[in-house]
Amino acid sequence: MPGRPPASRRTILRGAALTPVAGLGLAACGPEGGSASGSATPTAPVDLGSESEVPKGGAKLYRDHNVVVSRDASGALKAFSTVCTHAGCPINKLQGTTLICPCHGSRFDATTGRVVQSPATEPLAELPVRASGGKIVAGPEA
């Protein structure tokens, strides 16, 4: 190319060294990037534990199953997938009733599944949930 000096050996080596690092960063942002727990959400009913662990007006995050369960003031339970609708990262933090995605900072209301802070724009998927024998069961056919 006329008018443009050839790339130095240092520039080429630096670019070659950074390419794998950039690829890892992009992979971490993909739908499967942060999913260390296997299945995105329960594909069968799953026993989450004691019903008493979810206080009225509060929520409990079940990281191992990618589920959050909340209880309203009347005692009714609701459950949502905790796989972020922005990039598919598993949400691993609950502050009060706000879920916080570690990948890009999206926030969701654990009592409604609604987005509280972008970049996510879609609400979390609601899951069937029931209390049975003092235990919370969530997932399909729950």
Side-chain angles (χ1 to χ4, degrees), residues 11-27:
T11 302
I12 291 170
L13 290 174
R14 188 177 295 148
L18 292 177
T19 299
V21 174
L24 287 173
L26 289 174

Side-chain angles (χ1 to χ4, degrees), residues 30-89:
E32 300 300 318
S35 182
S37 60
S39 178
T41 56
T43 56
V46 63
D47 181 350
L48 297 174
S50 175
E51 183 181 2
S52 64
E53 292 179 353
V54 182
K56 284 187 178 180
K60 179 164 173 55
L61 176 61
Y62 298 91
R63 287 182 189 95
D64 292 345
H65 299 290
N66 292 323
V67 174
V68 65
V69 176
S70 64
R71 183 188 303 272
D72 66 18
S74 72
L77 297 172
K78 277 197 165 192
F80 297 93
S81 165
T82 56
V83 175
C84 182
T85 58
H86 171 248
C89 296

Side-chain angles (χ1 to χ4, degrees), residues 57-128:
K60 179 164 173 55
L61 176 61
Y62 298 91
R63 287 182 189 95
D64 292 345
H65 299 290
N66 292 323
V67 174
V68 65
V69 176
S70 64
R71 183 188 303 272
D72 66 18
S74 72
L77 297 172
K78 277 197 165 192
F80 297 93
S81 165
T82 56
V83 175
C84 182
T85 58
H86 171 248
C89 296
I91 298 169
N92 63 3
K93 188 172 186 180
L94 177 68
Q95 283 184 338
T97 58
T98 301
L99 292 160
I100 304 166
C101 181
C103 292
H104 303 106
S106 292
R107 292 177 182 239
F108 300 87
D109 183 330
T111 63
T112 64
R114 291 187 182 128
V115 176
V116 176
Q117 179 178 309
S118 61
T121 58
E122 296 294 319
L124 296 172
E126 189 167 355
L127 302 171

